[in-house]
Every structure is written in structure tokens, then in C-alpha cells.
Amino acid sequence: MSKADLLFLNNKAMEAMGVLDMKAVMKDAERVYILNHEGDVIAPGKCVMRWGKTVEDENTLGRINAMPGYIGGEYDMAGIKWIGSGPQNYKKGLPRASVTVILNDPDTKLPVCIADGTAVSTMRTGASGGVAIKLLAKSDASVMTICGAGAQAPTQLEAALIARPTLTKLYIYDIVPANAERFANLVRERFPAVTPIPTMDIEAATRASDIIDCVTLASEPFIKGEWLKKGALVMNMADYEVDDECVRRADKVCVDYWENIKHRMISTVALMWNKGEFRDEQLHAELGEILTGEKCGRENDDEIIYFNAVGAGIMDIAVTARCYRNALKAGAGTTLAFWEE
């Protein structure tokens, strides 16, 4: 007889339970930002296990990250995200990222669910971008540039269109032109209201855009602050993608989790902080402060706003917890006897 059951949810089960519902994931993201700001979380931070000795080595040899946490509120769930990143996996026909999420009962501390978290990770990162756009972009934003036409690009665009359905033109920049063309074809198929324009002229695209969304592995900046027009929102969603002038020109600097960003030490504003060129008091707000009304988001159409996201495991735990409870109601997934008498 089993005294403790464990539910296994593979990728198809997670899809059936709502992991691909971007509106729901954006709601999860907003709730996590609020609960984090209110202190109803435990977030020890990210443990990064790198191969190699430098960031450049990591971008070639890969890493595995462990992101434990507890999220309160309606989620009331503990767990951990375990994500491997193998940059050379494409040579073997394998995805770059693979994610496993383990959920633990916050009372007994026993594991209750093991789930594929690959879609969780891409969806919640897209949702983070969408929430930032909802709070920080011009209300009538119509032109967007996405830099990096990989796995993150579709979810960034999907969330952006939920936040700003006014978007009609999309510049797509990737150092591999074939990737940009491939994403453009997907945009034509999935988002017919948007005109995709693959481009290698990133300066012209940036100068024309209301939103510049960077989801790349860049180790050197390729977006210059002097290119940003009035009212632009520049989103530093991954690594060292934009130059210092993007931060200096910004009327507001906003982030998702400031302490996590400083700990990760890979984005532009974090590197500036480390050099003493950006101070804590210059930070305008975390998203949780804006969502609770303690700080304002965009106040006019002329503001240039810089946004940086690093993410947190509690976001993956929240999305997975929602899908897990949906699965319990639906009788979905595979139940395993974790602890037998």
C-alpha cells in the first residue's frame, strides 16, 4: 500500500493541463511578482554549475542550473527547477534546454510531482516579457524588434501581442539569417496580423522600434543606446546584449528581481553596478512594485525605459503547480507509489 504517491507529467500531459496557455502563464507571472514583493516566497537563489572557466566557455560547453523555492498564496507549493543547457545539442538533434521540475508538499516536504518543465521555462520567460511590455511599453506600440530567433522568440511575440495587440510590424534579427527566415515563416503562419521582416540591419530596426526585445547568448553588446527613439522600451532578457548607453539614456530602469540580477552578474545593468557605474538607488522599480501600485510604470510616450529580467525558479514552480492541480482534477498523468509500506 502506498503512503505517498508521486504524479509524473511528461511534456504531452503538461500541454494538456495548460502549460501552453500564455494568458494563464502571464497571470501566474504577475502573481509571482506580487507574492515575491509581499514576501510570501522562499527564494534561495540560483546555483549555477558551469562547464569551463568563463562565460564564453559556458556558452559553448553548457551548464546545469538548480533553482529551488517556495511560492505562497494560492499556489502554496515548494519545489526545484533543474535545467540543463547543452549548446552543442543541436548536432545530435536534441534540444538545447531540458528542464525537470520537482514539486514538494510544503507540509510533509515529500515530492508530489515530477514534471517536464521545458515548455514551462520557455512560456514563463515569454510571459515575463509580456508583463514587462504590459507595464512599460507605449500603449499604442506598433513596431517591435526581436533579437535572437531561437526557442524564446515565439513565446516573446505571443506574450507581446497579448500585452500590445497594436503590434503590426516585427523586425527579426539573428546572427544566422536562416534562423530569422525560419521564425518569419512561423510568424506568418501563427500570427498573420503581424508583418515579419528578417533583417541584418539592427541599427535601422532599433531606430524604428517601440519595443526591442533581446533573447540571445550575446557576450558583447549589439544594441546601442544612441539608436533608441523616444518612447522605446529596450528589454535585456538574457545576457550582455545592450550597451551601457541604453541604461544611461533610460528615464526608468526596471527589473524583475534585482538581487538575482546582481548575483547572476551577466546583464548590462548588473555589470555596470559591479563597476560602480549604476547604484541601487537609481533602480526605478521591480515589476512587483509596479503591479502592487507602489511604483508607477510608464508615465508618458516619450520615456525611454530599460528592462532587465533574470527569472526565478519560483515562477516555474507556480506554473507547474497550476498544471499539477489541473492534472489531479482531471485524473491525468502517471501515478507512482513513492513510499510503500
Side-chain angles (χ1 to χ4, degrees), residues 37-38 285 288-296:
H37 180 60
E38 293 175 346
E289 294 176 289
I290 299 174
L291 287 164
T292 57
E294 295 182 31
K295 298 284 183 70
C296 57

Side-chain angles (χ1 to χ4, degrees), residues 2-297:
S2 175
K3 295 189 69 175
D5 288 336
L6 184 68
L7 189 65
F8 174 69
L9 299 173
N10 67 8
N11 59 321
K12 292 300 182 182
M14 287 294 287
E15 289 174 12
M17 293 302 106
V19 73
L20 299 181
D21 183 343
M22 182 56 83
K23 288 184 179 179
V25 180
M26 286 178 66
K27 182 179 178 181
D28 290 330
E30 289 190 2
R31 288 294 297 145
V32 173
Y33 289 136
I34 291 169
L35 290 166
N36 178 73
H37 180 60
E38 293 175 346
D40 195 8
V41 305
I42 302 172
K46 181 185 296 184
C47 173
V48 180
M49 183 165 67
R50 293 186 176 95
W51 272 254
K53 298 180 180 179
T54 68
V55 172
E56 287 73 20
D57 288 338
E58 177 185 321
N59 287 338
T60 302
L61 302 176
R63 63 181 182 268
I64 303 179
N65 293 347
M67 302 163 70
Y70 164 79
I71 181 76
E74 63 270 35
Y75 300 97
D76 190 27
M77 186 65 71
I80 188 168
K81 174 184 182 180
W82 181 239
I83 175 170
S85 176
Q88 306 305 313
N89 283 0
Y90 72 95
K91 297 177 182 178
K92 302 176 182 178
L94 296 171
R96 176 190 175 91
S98 60
V99 187
T100 303
V101 177
I102 302 173
L103 300 180
N104 292 71
D105 185 295
D107 179 26
T108 66
K109 312 304 186 287
L110 289 171
V112 294
C113 179
I114 297 176
D116 174 69
T118 306
V120 176
S121 189
T122 56
M123 290 295 291
R124 66 86 156 162
T125 306
S128 295
V131 174
I133 289 170
K134 175 182 174 180
L135 300 174
L136 303 175
K138 290 170 56 178
S139 60
D140 61 349
S142 62
V143 183
M144 181 176 184
T145 293
I146 290 182
C147 303
Q152 282 298 327
T155 59
Q156 291 293 320
L157 179 57
E158 182 180 7
L161 286 169
I162 291 172
R164 290 293 182 273
T166 52
L167 291 169
T168 58
K169 184 183 293 186
L170 176 71
Y171 290 100
I172 304 168
Y173 172 77
D174 195 287
I175 59 172
V176 179
N179 291 344
E181 291 289 348
R182 190 179 303 113
F183 180 45
N185 289 333
L186 184 148
V187 173
R188 294 184 188 101
E189 178 183 338
R190 288 185 54 190
F191 309 102
V194 177
T195 300
I197 306 172
T199 183
M200 294 303 292
D201 189 347
I202 188 57
E203 178 179 350
T206 300
R207 289 185 181 278
S209 292
D210 303 305
I211 302 168
I212 303 96
D213 189 343
C214 302
V215 279
T216 76
L217 297 173
S219 57
E220 292 291 335
F222 58 89
I223 300 291
K224 296 184 179 181
E226 66 188 71
W227 300 342
L228 301 176
K229 69 176 185 177
K230 286 185 177 181
L233 167 63
V234 59
M235 301 167 64
N236 187 177
M237 298 294 290
D239 293 352
Y240 191 26
E241 302 168 304
V242 309
D243 71 4
D244 293 3
E245 191 63 19
C246 288
V247 177
R248 293 194 189 101
R249 283 199 65 197
D251 297 287
K252 290 186 173 79
V253 173
C254 301
V255 300
D256 59 353
Y257 308 99
W258 183 226
E259 292 304 318
N260 289 8
I261 284 168
K262 291 189 290 185
H263 180 264
R264 181 76 171 113
M265 196 51 64
I266 201 169
S267 63
T268 305
V269 72
L271 295 171
M272 291 177 69
W273 175 85
N274 194 47
K275 294 182 293 185
E277 296 174 4
F278 185 87
R279 303 182 306 279
D280 289 341
E281 55 269 26
Q282 290 177 267
L283 181 71
H284 174 67
E286 292 186 339
L287 293 185
E289 294 176 289
I290 299 174
L291 287 164
T292 57
E294 295 182 31
K295 298 284 183 70
C296 57

